[in-house]
C-alpha cells in the first residue's frame, strides 16, 4: 500500500509536467505575439509552482532525490528550448517587418 | 507505514504554511515601505505555490479534501488580515506626511 501513494505521486507529477508542456506548446503562437518579459513571467511561475511540488514530493518520501532532479531538469530544458524557439520566431518576424 | 507518508506530508505542509507566515510577518515593516502591487505579487506567488502543494498532497491521498481546504483557507485569511494591516499602516503614514 505504501508504494501506492508513491506511484500516485509520481504519476501526478508526470501528468502535471506534461500539462505544462502542452499548455505552453498549445499557446506557442500566442506566446510569440507577447512581449518577452510576459512570456518569462508565465514560464517562471509555472516552473516555480512545479519545482515546489516536486520538492514537496521528495520531502514526503514519495520520490527519490534523483527522480526529483530529473523531473525538474527535464522540464526546465524543454521549456528553455521552447523559449529559444519563441524568441527565434520573434526575431524572424521583426526582420520581415524591417 | 502507509500513514507515515501522510503524517510527513501534513507536517511539511503545516511547516511550509508557518514559514510563509513568519516570512511575511518578519518582513512586515519592509512590506509597509513597498508599493501595494509588489506586496500583492509577493503574497499571491506564495499562495499560488502553497495551494498547489496542498492540492498535490490531496491528489496523492496524503491529506483529505477538508484538511486541504482548511490549510489553504486558514493561511489565506491570515494573509488577508496581514495585508489589511499593511495598507492601514501605509494610510496612517501618508496621513502623517500630509
Amino acid at each position: 500500500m505504501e508504494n501506492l501513494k508513491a506511484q500516485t505521486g509520481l504519476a501526478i507529477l508526470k501528468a502535471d509536467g506534461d500539462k505544462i508542456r502542452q499548455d505552453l506548446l498549445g499557446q506557442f503562437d500566442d506566446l510569440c505575439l507577447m512581449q518577452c518579459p510576459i512570456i518569462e513571467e508565465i514560464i517562471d511561475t509555472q516552473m516555480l509552482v512545479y519545482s515546489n511540488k516536486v520538492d514537496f514530493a521528495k520531502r514526503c518520501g514519495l520520490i527519490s532525490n534523483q527522480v526529483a532532479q530529473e523531473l525538474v531538469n527535464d522540464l526546465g530544458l524543454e521549456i528553455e528550448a521552447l523559449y529559444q524557439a519563441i524568441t527565434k520566431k520573434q526575431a524572424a518576424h521583426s526582420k520581415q517587418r524591417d
Side-chain angles (χ1 to χ4, degrees), chain A:
Chain A
M1 252 314 249
E2 175 69 342
N3 269 337
L4 182 61
K5 282 196 165 65
Q7 285 162 13
T8 308
L10 182 56
I12 289 171
L13 288 174
K14 284 184 174 175
D16 285 4
D18 289 342
K19 189 167 183 317
I20 291 174
R21 289 181 181 89
Q22 279 152 24
D23 283 354
L24 291 176
L25 284 170
Q27 296 171 34
F28 183 79
D29 293 332
D30 302 335
L31 289 172
C32 286
L33 300 175
M34 291 185 199
Q35 297 296 320
C36 279
I38 300 173
I39 305 172
E40 273 189 40
E41 198 168 324
I42 291 171
I43 290 175
D44 287 351
T45 303
Q46 299 253 22
M47 280 307 292
L48 178 69
V49 168
Y50 188 71
S51 52
N52 266 272
K53 237 184 286 190
V54 169
D55 177 64
F56 172 72
K58 186 185 74 178
R59 288 188 289 155
C60 283
L62 293 177
I63 58 174
S64 69
N65 191 40
Q66 187 187 341
V67 167
Q69 280 178 358
E70 280 165 16
L71 286 169
V72 174
N73 291 346
D74 290 354
L75 185 57
L77 288 172
E78 287 171 54
I79 285 183
E80 182 55 34
L82 174 72
Y83 187 66
Q84 299 303 336
I86 290 168
T87 37
K88 216 167 150 188
K89 190 167 179 185
Q90 286 180 330
H93 268 205
S94 53
K95 251 191 208 147
Q96 277 169 0
R97 279 196 304 264
D98 296 348

